[in-house]
Amino acid sequence: MRLSASRRTLAAASIALAGLLATAVPAAAGVSAAPATATAAAPTAAAAAPDIPLASVKGHLTQFQSIAAANGGNRAHGRTGYKASIDYVKAKLDAAGYTTAVQQFTTAGAIGYNLVADWPGGDEGQVLMAGAHLDSVASGAGINDNGSGSAAVLETALAVSRAGLRPTRHLRFAWWGAEELGLVGSKHYVGNLPGADRAKISAYLNFDMIGSPNAGYFVYDDDAALEKVFKDYFTGIGVSTEIETEGDGRSDHASFKNAGIRVGGLFTGAGRVKTAAQAQKWGGTAGQSFDRCYHSACDNTTNINDTALDRNSDAAAHAVWTLGTAVTVPPGEAYENTGDVTVPDNGPAVTSTVEVAGRTGNAPAALAVGVDIKHTWRGDLVVDLVAPDGTAYRLKNSSANDSADNVVTAYTVNASGEPANGAWKLRVQDVAAQDTGYIDSWKLTF
Ligand code: TRP
Ligand code: ZN
Ligand code: CA
């Protein structure tokens, strides 16, 4: 038995850590990951999320305020201000290259609308959703509740477009109707999804009230891995968070959670009162509600804490980028796939695909194949590069003596006999029992 107890423990810990995102959004084990596209300057890690401009998010809030003002003071279900809000968000997304759909439903004697926007590309079998309810209550413009979440999700979606993002997972953004009448729109969406489509949703992230004037920083704890993605962001900017407890199930994530979908989200507080301890660490006023204008006429553009809105908008983008395992596109020389693929212990070969397009002629005589495989005993692994026509180039044989961890290296392959364009695969097989691992990423540099 060559695997010592301590080594096994270490291995298990590192796999658990490295696999966190895969836990949050499970990749289909043993199945080819989504084809990746070209990356600039060959970064091996997913690109960091951009800063979401606060001014842009607030610009959307100003528009929501104007829409309310022009439509009887609110953006509530069944009122003209709601449909005008849908039209506003939809136009922005259409112009940015999204595929949008408006879904209708009827509740309380009026037609309601959900807006769903898909970013073309990514693995349709692993859909990452982010959403916010777009309706207000009838008593006001609903700028914090929930213009704030709606604007942050919109600006994140627009940032995806600006970045020309080619994420591994398919991204879908949604704005829900009639949340204030009992999560009606999101329930309608989830309830009308065919079971097969429901199963493809890796996670749903919810943003409802993220600019409360007397803000707290609350993270949903429904799913540990999703919670961690948000907490990591706030830790990185030195802001402590608490678990959201004010209204478990009181927003649209409940519709997804009830259907067995992993959920996460952010919240800065509603009617509940900020404690002295919370004011100590977050600032603001103890003994006062997080949002004194919750569900009131004064929930207007002055009812926003800019710092909270800014941080939470950036956190939303961070989560979409991180969970989408994003890769920024062209123009570039390296073609990379950063999607994790589990390599089953002593089992069948698995592959990860890199799609090369738009090149002329054959691949180079010195094709660089960058490989990053995490494994607790690299001697177990047989690794091949498989050209689009199926020709296999052996990169590495198995070896009983090769006891090191991981295969993190660059191989050079004479691929001059192969047309450059097409689906290249890294094929990895684990041929001995005990030690395990996964393809972390790999890339081709032409
Ligand atoms: N839109 C929710 C509502 O009107 C706001 C809310 C209250 C909330 N408690 C929450 C949102 C907790 C998320 C989590 O009730
Ligand atoms: Zn509300
Ligand atoms: Ca093994």
Side-chain angles (χ1 to χ4, degrees):
M1 161 99 177
R2 60 186 192 187
L3 188 69
S4 73
S6 65
R7 204 160 162 273
R8 180 188 288 282
T9 307
L10 192 66
S14 69
I15 295 272
L17 198 66
L20 245 179
L21 300 183
T23 309
V25 223
V31 172
S32 301
T37 34
T39 62
T44 49
D51 179 75
I52 297 297
L54 174 65
S56 303
V57 179
K58 293 192 75 176
H60 301 312
L61 296 184
T62 302
Q63 293 302 314
F64 292 143
Q65 183 76 55
S66 300
I67 287 168
N71 290 279
N74 67 65
R75 303 181 302 104
H77 168 74
R79 313 293 184 90
T80 51
Y82 181 71
K83 184 56 166 48
S85 299
I86 286 278
D87 294 344
Y88 170 77
V89 176
K90 182 176 184 296
K92 296 281 181 199
L93 295 162
D94 288 338
Y98 278 85
T99 304
T100 59
V102 176
Q103 181 182 43
Q104 290 194 17
F105 55 89
T106 301
T107 193
I111 296 174
Y113 308 89
N114 293 327
L115 172 62
V116 179
D118 283 80
W119 182 238
D123 182 354
E124 303 262 359
Q126 297 181 62
V127 180
L128 174 65
M129 287 191 72
H133 78 84
L134 187 56
D135 63 315
S136 71
V137 291
S139 49
I143 298 304
N144 186 36
D145 181 15
N146 183 32
S148 61
S150 295
V153 173
L154 173 57
E155 202 50 39
T156 297
L158 297 179
V160 164
S161 168
R162 285 193 295 267
L165 204 65
R166 292 288 177 269
T168 309
R169 298 191 170 89
H170 181 75
L171 302 182
R172 181 177 299 151
F173 299 92
W175 290 262
W176 309 117
E179 186 270 356
E180 299 290 3
L181 278 60
L183 321 182
V184 179
S186 56
K187 276 183 194 164
H188 180 84
Y189 175 81
V190 174
N192 284 275
L193 266 184
D197 290 342
R198 218 178 287 180
K200 291 175 185 163
I201 302 176
S202 300
Y204 170 72
L205 307 178
N206 194 59
F207 302 92
D208 186 359
M209 302 183 73
I210 57 168
S212 304
N214 190 28
Y217 292 89
F218 300 103
V219 178
Y220 301 2
D221 70 342
D222 305 82
D223 179 274
L226 298 177
E227 178 186 359
K228 184 182 185 316
V229 171
F230 287 117
K231 282 165 85 171
D232 283 350
Y233 178 77
F234 284 103
T235 301
I237 61 169
V239 173
S240 54
T241 58
E242 290 184 12
I243 290 168
E244 192 287 303
T245 59
E246 183 168 356
D248 221 13
R250 275 176 66 186
S251 191
D252 297 297
H253 57 293
S255 305
F256 287 80
K257 188 176 182 178
N258 290 338
I261 297 166
R262 293 161 190 268
V263 301
L266 298 174
F267 180 55
T268 52
R272 190 180 276 181
V273 168
K274 185 178 267 187
T275 66
Q278 289 170 330
Q280 188 83 44
K281 63 178 171 184
W282 291 327
T285 310
Q288 201 175 88
S289 291
F290 294 107
D291 182 357
R292 284 193 294 176
C293 291
Y294 176 55
H295 285 189
S296 302
C298 61
D299 185 8
N300 55 38
T301 47
T302 67
N303 190 46
I304 288 289
N305 178 320
D306 284 359
T307 302
L309 182 64
D310 192 20
R311 289 170 172 169
N312 281 282
S313 299
D314 290 342
H318 169 81
V320 167
W321 254 254
T322 304
L323 294 164
T325 58
V327 173
T328 313
V329 187
E333 300 274 277
Y335 297 76
E336 180 174 35
N337 190 335
T338 58
D340 293 357
V341 178
T342 302
V343 180
D345 187 26
N346 197 17
V350 293
T351 62
S352 172
T353 303
V354 158
E355 200 76 56
V356 176
R359 306 198 72 94
T360 48
N362 282 4
L367 175 62
V369 186
V371 173
D372 185 344
I373 302 169
K374 300 298 194 294
H375 199 276
T376 54
W377 187 291
R378 51 176 278 149
D380 289 2
L381 298 176
V382 179
V383 183
D384 292 299
L385 173 71
V386 183
D389 71 353
T391 308
Y393 295 84
R394 178 61 44 92
L395 302 178
K396 181 196 168 304
N397 281 308
S398 61
S399 160
N401 311 319
D402 189 4
S403 65
D405 286 351
N406 306 334
V407 181
V408 183
T409 188
Y411 298 97
T412 303
V413 171
N414 182 350
S416 57
E418 306 286 347
N421 292 331
W424 294 77
K425 292 184 189 327
L426 185 73
R427 186 169 67 198
V428 181
Q429 186 168 18
D430 178 326
V431 297
Q434 287 284 357
D435 285 273
T436 59
Y438 62 97
I439 304 172
D440 197 336
S441 68
W442 75 286
K443 67 185 177 191
L444 290 173
T445 305
F446 281 75

